[in-house]
Amino acid sequence: MTKALIVGAGMTGLATAWHLQEYGYEVEVVDRIGVAAGSSWGNAGWLAPGKTIPLSNSSLWAYGPTALFDKHAALDVPVRFDPKLWRFCANFMAHATGRAWDKTMAGLTKADLGALAAFDELEAGGVKATTHESPFIIGFENEQKAGGFLKEVEGAQRHGQEIPFEQITLDDARVHAPMLTDKVGATYRMGGQRFIEPGPYCQAIADSIVERGGKVTTGVEVVKVSSTRKPAVKLATGEWLHADNVVLATGAWLPKLAKDIGVTTLIQAGRGYSFSVETDQPATCPVYLPDPKIACTPYQGRFRIAGTMEFRGPDEPFQPGRIASMIHTTKPFFRGIDWEDRQDEWVGSRPVTPDGLPLVGATKVPNVYTNGGHGMWGIILGPLCGKMLAKQIETGEVDETIAPFDPLRGPFGGL
């Protein structure tokens, strides 16, 4: 039986392993910490193709410089001597144009259109987890502040997505999101999207892999990739593991192995924070505040509040000030929340590329592949990219869905 070793037990790695099992592969997933231990655990869990869009856009030219000096801004870049960080930021900003946005959106659209069906396939195949269909409520302080978001929705629609989207009254919004205050002066409802509890969902995929004869091994750190007749990875212990195929799905930690496999695309940890709170009335649907960039989701009877894009190293310490800033910007828009009763405070490192496209496919080392670089979209695109990569490993065919995600496209993406 052909063996595949998948490094990384987040959504992308687990989905790749599961789909390789569909082709009859013997699979083992290894992770240095545990299932969903990185950015796959504490995110908002949105399965929202209508919001799976390029991160870099022209509004950054006005927002970015002011964010550097606003401690409460959703974008946080530490002002310090860090050549790699500033090289990434320069290239990220180089993609903040309308032309680059359209090019990235065109590259994402086929994946966006197939993303939800990939979750249905996992569940039909025995993964004991469920996606939740629900309207998404979007709130702004006033109509004027909605312009940028409406432009993004129009852009996704222009590239081929059908997104049910309408303006509603605050009273209508409160039917689904009773926590909204009167400070919310403009509200919209987006349909056709879903959400999950991401950590439990990833664990369900891992359980399914094991139930079907695969292995999920934690506490295993890979420090080097090599290949002679077959690819192999070296562990921190000095031991080597061999397989017929190796998939690197290590997220923001991929740069540690990139030089071994010829991947030069820049990857920066874009760290997101989250916590959960109680609400006076049960939260039943996702709520988005685009101005402070706060994404909220029902989570295990509570309300998960997620946000920020913090460009730091993936292993840097948790920054409590980021949580304080999220509360500061969100509190005026929400009522009926005990902000002191916070649980599950978390930071996770999302792997961001300059052009906003993932890195999915073959590397320069024979039979070594990557599935990562999804930025904020690893949860929603992970199952589909896992399916498409498994197909490529089995058949050698690069599906058009992931063709724009070539991991060897160069350090700066499409520029």
Side-chain angles (χ1 to χ4, degrees), residues 84-103:
K84 289 183 179 179
L85 171 61
W86 293 109
R87 181 175 177 234
F88 171 84
C89 288
N91 285 284
F92 187 72
M93 291 300 297
H95 286 85
T97 66
R99 180 180 177 183
W101 193 96
D102 277 320
K103 184 175 182 179

Side-chain angles (χ1 to χ4, degrees), residues 252-273:
W253 291 267
L254 183 61
K256 292 183 177 181
L257 302 171
K259 65 181 183 299
D260 296 337
I261 56 176
V263 174
T264 60
T265 302
L266 299 174
I267 299 172
Q268 171 62 44
R271 306 201 318 171
Y273 286 74

Side-chain angles (χ1 to χ4, degrees), residues 117-327:
F119 283 86
D120 296 337
E121 186 171 349
L122 289 174
E123 293 165 27
V127 174
K128 298 179 179 64
T130 305
T131 64
H132 305 283
E133 295 189 34
S134 171
F136 280 45
I137 301 300
I138 300 102
F140 301 88
E141 186 173 354
N142 53 54
E143 298 267 356
Q144 290 71 30
K145 293 191 174 183
F149 182 85
L150 298 181
K151 183 179 179 181
E152 291 176 349
V153 173
E154 184 277 328
Q157 292 172 327
R158 177 163 40 86
H159 280 273
Q161 289 201 51
E162 294 183 9
I163 306 171
F165 188 73
E166 62 179 336
Q167 188 167 13
I168 59 175
T169 67
L170 180 58
D171 285 341
D172 286 340
R174 282 174 171 162
V175 172
H176 302 286
M179 70 289 297
L180 295 177
T181 68
D182 290 342
K183 189 173 179 65
V184 180
T187 51
Y188 294 81
R189 177 168 52 211
M190 179 183 287
Q193 320 298 306
R194 306 184 201 174
F195 68 94
I196 59 172
E197 294 183 351
Y201 203 103
C202 288
Q203 185 61 58
I205 301 174
D207 292 343
S208 179
I209 290 169
V210 173
E211 288 167 4
R212 302 197 303 173
K215 292 176 65 177
V216 177
T217 307
T218 60
V220 176
E221 182 177 5
V222 171
V223 297
K224 185 176 178 59
V225 182
S226 182
S227 179
T228 50
R229 289 191 308 119
K230 286 185 177 182
V233 300
K234 184 180 181 180
L235 307 184
T237 60
E239 179 186 358
W240 286 87
L241 299 180
H242 300 265
D244 298 289
N245 297 279
V246 170
V247 177
L248 302 179
T250 53
W253 291 267
L254 183 61
K256 292 183 177 181
L257 302 171
K259 65 181 183 299
D260 296 337
I261 56 176
V263 174
T264 60
T265 302
L266 299 174
I267 299 172
Q268 171 62 44
R271 306 201 318 171
Y273 286 74
S274 72
F275 57 92
S276 68
V277 292
E278 288 277 2
T279 56
D280 282 355
Q281 298 184 57
T284 60
C285 76
V287 177
Y288 185 38
L289 303 176
D291 202 27
K293 295 179 172 54
I294 295 294
C296 308
T297 318
Y299 180 77
Q300 297 188 347
R302 293 170 66 85
F303 199 43
R304 173 172 280 177
I305 296 178
T308 82
M309 177 62 75
E310 179 189 55
F311 287 155
R312 288 181 180 268
D315 293 312
E316 288 191 44
F318 180 94
Q319 305 290 316
R322 290 281 80 208
I323 297 292
S325 293
M326 290 168 64
I327 294 171

Side-chain angles (χ1 to χ4, degrees), residues 64-79:
T66 59
L68 287 175
F69 304 101
D70 179 0
K71 69 177 183 179
H72 298 307
L75 176 63
D76 181 59
V77 184
V79 180

Side-chain angles (χ1 to χ4, degrees), residues 6-16 39-40 108 111 246-255 257-258 261 263 265-269 349-363 368-379 381-390 392-393 401-402 404-409:
I6 295 85
V7 185
M11 178 65 87
T12 59
L14 293 168
T16 306
S39 59
S40 289
L108 288 170
V246 170
V247 177
L248 302 179
T250 53
W253 291 267
L254 183 61
L257 302 171
I261 56 176
V263 174
T265 302
L266 299 174
I267 299 172
Q268 171 62 44
S349 294
R350 302 163 296 200
V352 181
T353 60
D355 62 359
L357 291 173
L359 305 168
V360 184
T363 71
V368 175
Y369 304 81
T370 64
N371 191 357
H374 293 80
M376 294 173 63
W377 317 128
I379 288 294
L381 297 183
L384 181 71
C385 287
K387 177 182 179 180
M388 295 295 101
L389 182 57
Q392 180 179 347
I393 293 170
T401 306
I402 59 170
F405 305 163
D406 180 8
L408 300 179
R409 64 182 180 270

